[in-house]
């Protein structure tokens, strides 16, 4: 938790951005795993954390924009809870740590919302993503669950995004710590990777490193020799010489700030010439992306520039053909990189994705592109100092996609389909760094995880 002035200041800034009415921010509760008392690890809602800082279950924050009143709704524990959970700090005291002087029992929230609605006041709320909060909001507001998203407040969404997008120094310092844990996770995975090792052994070990960093993984570990499956959570295979191992993993601290890195290594400890050739193209795309990442540039243009590096590299080795610019304009590179260059990073690994990617990554100037591949770009808009984003180009050989494009004769002017037969068991390569936009350009956050083929081979030795 940051100091109380942080939360008071953030709530004041938010209040100034909203024209009138009341803001309702729901915290999260426990989510049952297989029965009510056996719940998933508790994860607070990130916007609630940002404005109210309290990392406990079953809270709601209300900010009255017109009067300036701020209330936290929640319940104090009773003696039965104390028996199971130990002594707890009173809600009033917790609230005062984040500069909120008024607390009320949770049951009073209904009355407060009903009064606001009946007097014609606007209730600003965010689109809920958890079933429990959808039901709660539906009850509180009298809106059917299926319509909640449509009635959520775009004014509130945009205001929160404008604040959370630009990271404060203290937030950057937390992300830096999360990156340091991520560094340890990845170097450990590199050192453990060798033929005969079970993928799950490495996945479990690096997840443990994230836990011992004080938090947890920032998303379920992606670790597989089948790196061509973009989010591969199947860790059931044993490593074999000649294969590549793709590891996409990051840490989330106790403060909930996240990191997110990807590295790809040869199981044998040494890249084959064929692997190195593709690897160098991905690394060049990553480096080019970073060189172009600076305030005022749009991340859509950086994504397309990285795509051109990939298309021109693949053309140089005979897998693509034709004019590189035209190839990218036609989306031909997306056969090999069917995803975007990156996303915002912060309290969420895909920061603020629950608020709507169209608002987080796009604006009136830069609109989402619906072309296959670039359509998955989560962040396209103009960069500003204080943004934290990922830079994660990749090249993948996805047999089903190659077969489909070949059969449907898609982008045949730009792809040498016959040459791809030799790559169907190649897997995939992705290289991901976390980047802070500075006043003059950008910087990789923390020490760069070994990334050149020589550096990786050295670590693995
Ligand atoms: N690290 C997973 C992703 O960015 O989608
Ligand atoms: Mn990522």
């Amino acid at each position: 938790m940051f100091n109380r002035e942080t939360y008071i200041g953030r709530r004041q800034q938010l209040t100034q951005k909203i024209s009138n009415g009341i803001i309702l921010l729901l915290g999260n509760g426990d989510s049952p795993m297989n029965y009510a008392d056996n719940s998933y690890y508790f994860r607070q809602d990130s916007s609630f954390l940002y404005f109210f800082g309290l990392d406990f279950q079953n809270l709601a924050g209300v900010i009255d924009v017109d009067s300036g009143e701020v209330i936290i709704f929640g319940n104090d524990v009773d003696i039965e809870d104390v028996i199971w959970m130990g002594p707890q700090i009173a809600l009033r005291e917790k609230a005062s740590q984040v500069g909120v002087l008024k607390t009320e029992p949770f049951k009073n929230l209904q009355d407060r919302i009903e009064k606001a609605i009946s007097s014609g006041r606007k209730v600003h709320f965010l689109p809920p993503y958890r079933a429990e909060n959808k039901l709660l909001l539906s009850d509180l507001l009298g809106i059917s669950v299926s319509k909640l998203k449509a009635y959520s407040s775009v004014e509130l969404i945009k205001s929160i995004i404008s604040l959370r997008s630009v990271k404060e120094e203290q937030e950057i310092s937390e992300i830096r710590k999360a990156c340091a844990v991520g560094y340890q996770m990845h170097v450990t995975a590199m050192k453990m990777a060798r033929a005969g090792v079970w993928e799950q052994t490495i996945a479990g070990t690096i997840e443990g490193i994230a836990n011992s960093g004080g938090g947890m993984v920032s998303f379920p570990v992606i670790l597989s020799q089948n790196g061509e499956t973009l989010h591969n959570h199947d860790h059931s295979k044993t490593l074999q010489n000649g294969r590549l191992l793709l590891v996409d993993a990051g840490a989330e601290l106790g403060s909930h700030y996240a990191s997110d890195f990807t590295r790809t290594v040869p199981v044998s400890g040494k890249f084959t010439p064929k692997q190195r050739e593709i690897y160098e193209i991905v690394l060049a795309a990553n480096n080019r992306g970073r060189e172009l990442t600076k305030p005022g540039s749009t991340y859509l243009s950086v994504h397309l520039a990285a795509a051109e590096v990939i298309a021109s590299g693949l053309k140089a080795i005979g897998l693509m053909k034709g004019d590189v610019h035209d190839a990218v304009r036609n989306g031909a590179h997306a056969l090999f990189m069917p995803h975007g260059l990156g996303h915002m990073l912060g309290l969420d690994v895909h920061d603020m994705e629950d608020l709507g990617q169209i608002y987080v990554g796009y604006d009136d100037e830069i609109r989402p592109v619906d072309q296959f591949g670039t359509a998955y770009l989560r962040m396209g808009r103009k960069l500003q100092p204080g943004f934290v984003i990922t830079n994660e180009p990749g090249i993948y050989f996805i047999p089903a996609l190659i077969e489909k494009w070949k059969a449907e004769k898609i982008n045949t002017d730009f792809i040498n389909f016959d040459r791809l037969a030799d790559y169907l068991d190649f897997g995939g390569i992705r290289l991901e760094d976390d980047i802070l936009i500075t006043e003059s350009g950008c910087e990789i956050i923390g020490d760069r995880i070994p990334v050149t083929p020589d550096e990786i081979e050295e670590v693995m030795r």
Side-chain angles (χ1 to χ4, degrees), residues 2 164-183 250-253 255-261 344-349 351 386-390 433-437 443-447:
F2 299 125
R164 284 181 56 189
S165 294
V166 180
K167 271 60 184 179
E168 302 155 353
E169 277 304 323
Q170 59 189 355
E171 294 185 283
I172 294 166
S173 155
E174 289 301 300
I175 295 172
R176 229 176 259 293
K177 289 184 222 161
C179 287
V181 180
Y183 184 103
E252 171 174 316
L253 301 178
S255 64
H256 299 292
Y257 286 88
S259 61
D260 180 11
F261 298 108
M344 288 251 191
L345 177 78
L347 276 168
D348 308 299
V349 67
D351 208 22
F387 283 11
V388 175
I389 53 172
T390 66
D433 296 316
D434 298 342
I435 307 281
L436 169 67
I437 314 300
E443 65 175 57
I444 291 176
I445 304 177
D447 292 335

Side-chain angles (χ1 to χ4, degrees), residues 106-118:
F106 203 86
K107 64 177 171 44
N108 293 5
L109 181 60
Q110 180 86 53
D111 193 43
R112 173 68 61 153
I113 298 296
E114 271 170 15
K115 278 203 181 104
I117 293 172
S118 63

Side-chain angles (χ1 to χ4, degrees), residues 210-253:
N211 289 160
S212 48
M216 57 181 186
V217 286
S218 51
F219 56 96
V221 168
I222 295 165
L223 183 151
S224 174
Q225 292 168 109
N226 287 100
E228 77 280 9
T229 300
L230 301 182
H231 282 179
N232 200 336
H233 301 297
D234 173 10
H235 314 137
S236 64
K237 309 275 183 345
T238 299
L239 298 189
Q240 288 177 355
N241 280 331
R243 304 293 307 274
L244 291 166
L245 176 67
L246 184 150
V247 182
D248 182 349
E252 171 174 316
L253 301 178

Side-chain angles (χ1 to χ4, degrees), residues 29-283:
D30 278 325
S31 243
M33 200 157 49
N34 48 348
Y35 52 92
D37 276 353
N38 201 22
S39 55
Y40 290 103
Y41 184 92
F42 171 67
R43 176 55 157 85
Q44 184 58 289
D45 174 76
S46 297
S47 288
F48 185 86
L49 269 180
Y50 187 83
F51 293 103
F52 289 98
L54 299 181
D55 200 1
F56 305 99
Q57 292 85 338
N58 305 325
L59 301 173
V62 167
I63 304 172
D64 188 318
V65 175
D66 306 312
S67 71
E69 189 180 33
V70 182
I71 308 172
I72 291 179
F73 291 84
N75 296 332
D76 273 314
V77 298
D78 57 25
I79 184 64
E80 291 204 20
D81 296 317
V82 171
I83 292 167
W84 293 97
M85 300 158 61
Q88 304 290 312
I89 302 169
L91 179 60
R92 176 169 291 278
E93 195 178 325
K94 290 176 190 164
S96 90
Q97 290 169 356
V98 294
V100 177
L101 302 178
K102 187 162 183 191
T103 60
E104 289 195 29
F106 203 86
K107 64 177 171 44
N108 293 5
L109 181 60
Q110 180 86 53
D111 193 43
R112 173 68 61 153
I113 298 296
E114 271 170 15
K115 278 203 181 104
I117 293 172
S118 63
S119 50
R121 302 183 70 202
K122 167 102 181 147
V123 179
H124 299 268
F125 63 93
L126 297 175
Y129 51 89
R130 287 211 181 179
E132 293 86 348
N133 277 352
K134 288 183 187 182
L135 294 173
L136 174 62
L137 267 183
S138 178
D139 267 2
L140 287 172
L141 301 164
I143 299 173
S144 68
V145 167
S146 62
K147 297 213 170 68
L148 283 170
K149 191 170 174 199
Y151 283 103
S152 61
S153 167
V154 174
E155 191 183 5
L156 179 62
I157 289 170
K158 288 185 171 176
S159 301
I160 291 181
I161 289 171
S162 73
L163 293 172
R164 284 181 56 189
S165 294
V166 180
K167 271 60 184 179
E168 302 155 353
E169 277 304 323
Q170 59 189 355
E171 294 185 283
I172 294 166
S173 155
E174 289 301 300
I175 295 172
R176 229 176 259 293
K177 289 184 222 161
C179 287
V181 180
Y183 184 103
Q184 291 306 328
M185 293 164 71
H186 278 272
V187 169
T188 301
M190 286 176 194
K191 290 181 178 171
M192 288 180 75
R194 69 188 64 226
V197 175
W198 189 27
E199 290 170 341
Q200 182 59 43
T201 306
I202 307 179
T205 303
I206 65 175
E207 180 151 357
I209 293 173
N211 289 160
S212 48
M216 57 181 186
V217 286
S218 51
F219 56 96
V221 168
I222 295 165
L223 183 151
S224 174
Q225 292 168 109
N226 287 100
E228 77 280 9
T229 300
L230 301 182
H231 282 179
N232 200 336
H233 301 297
D234 173 10
H235 314 137
S236 64
K237 309 275 183 345
T238 299
L239 298 189
Q240 288 177 355
N241 280 331
R243 304 293 307 274
L244 291 166
L245 176 67
L246 184 150
V247 182
D248 182 349
E252 171 174 316
L253 301 178
S255 64
H256 299 292
Y257 286 88
S259 61
D260 180 11
F261 298 108
T262 310
R263 287 295 184 262
T264 310
V265 305
V267 170
S268 69
K270 203 160 169 47
F271 289 92
T272 65
K274 185 175 171 185
Q275 288 169 340
R276 195 178 261 252
E277 202 168 55
I278 301 292
Y279 189 98
E280 293 283 12
I281 301 171
V282 180
L283 183 54

